[in-house]
Amino acid sequence: METPDLILVKSFEQFKKYGIRSVTMDDVAAQCGISKKTLYQHFADKDTLVGTIMDHMIHKSEEQCCRYQHQSDNAIHEIFQSLVMLREMFEGVNPVMIYDLHKYHQAAYKKLDDHKQRFLCDITRKNLERGIAEGLFRPEINVEIITLLHLQHIAITFEQESFPRQKFSLLELQMEVMLHYVYGIATARGVKMIEKYRKQLLS
């Protein structure tokens, strides 16, 4: 593994486990087995490192979502594939990492917000249109309203005041929001499809 990639992998592991603020550049260098000078040759500061990690996360997420969009059997299958991705993404993540990102690395957090406003909005809308065409989602729903409402529901799960992390894990919240969403828009045929994929997900 090339040094920049090693730095990104090791630092992200540390951020997920301990949060961003509590992990120093000295800690990152030690985890990578490199000098601090070498670390700074690749990343000018911690903010640059966090921003690069966010770029990689967003790029990977968008690639996977596009793959699911084209390879899934139907709109509900596409949603459940994204649930598997969410489980992999948020499992073991210390919620402090999201808090630190928002409070101390606003440029990187803005990238995440832009990703939601641009990419997630578009792919959610297309999934809704697909599901309606396939007879799996109710045809009378207002696609634009439901798209925006769903994205707001996702955003709310990151608010620790509403959902304290000592009581709810981020993974649990994301899974519940997605299931609540898809059940709410499904036709009777769609509900049967949800039950099928839900059993597969939980098995």
Side-chain angles (χ1 to χ4, degrees), residues 66-140:
C66 289
R67 191 180 312 120
Y68 299 152
Q69 187 181 51
H70 292 104
Q71 295 179 354
S72 55
D73 297 333
N74 53 66
I76 292 175
H77 185 213
E78 182 184 338
I79 288 174
F80 272 84
Q81 284 186 308
S82 71
L83 279 173
V84 173
M85 181 184 73
L86 284 173
R87 186 163 64 181
E88 293 172 353
M89 185 181 299
F90 289 115
E91 202 161 32
V93 171
N94 187 330
V96 173
M97 186 184 86
I98 306 298
Y99 174 82
D100 288 348
L101 185 69
H102 188 203
K103 187 170 178 66
Y104 303 108
H105 301 278
Q106 293 185 6
Y109 188 83
K110 187 177 184 305
K111 292 180 181 182
L112 185 62
D113 194 53
D114 289 345
H115 165 68
K116 181 187 77 173
Q117 298 297 334
R118 175 186 53 80
F119 180 81
L120 292 184
C121 187
D122 183 61
I123 204 160
T124 300
R125 177 179 51 77
K126 287 178 179 176
N127 177 264
L128 283 168
E129 292 170 346
R130 177 185 182 182
I132 291 170
E134 293 171 340
L136 299 175
F137 298 157
R138 294 183 287 110
E140 73 275 13

Side-chain angles (χ1 to χ4, degrees), residues 2 7 19 26 45-47 110 115-116 152 154 157 162 167 170 173 190 199:
E2 296 293 326
I7 293 169
D26 284 319
D45 51 36
K46 191 175 180 181
D47 208 43
K110 187 177 184 305
H115 165 68
K116 181 187 77 173
Q152 285 302 312
I154 292 174
T157 64
S162 302
K167 190 172 182 181
L170 194 54
L173 288 167
K199 286 179 182 177

Side-chain angles (χ1 to χ4, degrees), residues 2 20 23 52 57 61 65 68 70 98 108 135 139 182-183 190:
E2 296 293 326
I20 299 172
V23 177
T52 305
M57 283 182 62
S61 172
C65 286
Y68 299 152
H70 292 104
I98 306 298
V182 72
Y183 272 115

Side-chain angles (χ1 to χ4, degrees), residues 154-185:
I154 292 174
I156 288 170
T157 64
F158 290 93
E159 297 178 3
Q160 295 199 51
E161 296 81 7
S162 302
F163 299 99
R165 292 298 173 256
Q166 61 269 28
K167 190 172 182 181
F168 307 104
S169 74
L170 194 54
L171 175 61
E172 179 186 9
L173 288 167
Q174 292 292 323
M175 298 289 276
E176 286 295 329
V177 164
M178 290 296 285
L179 289 172
H180 177 270
Y181 162 72
V182 72
Y183 272 115
I185 60 177

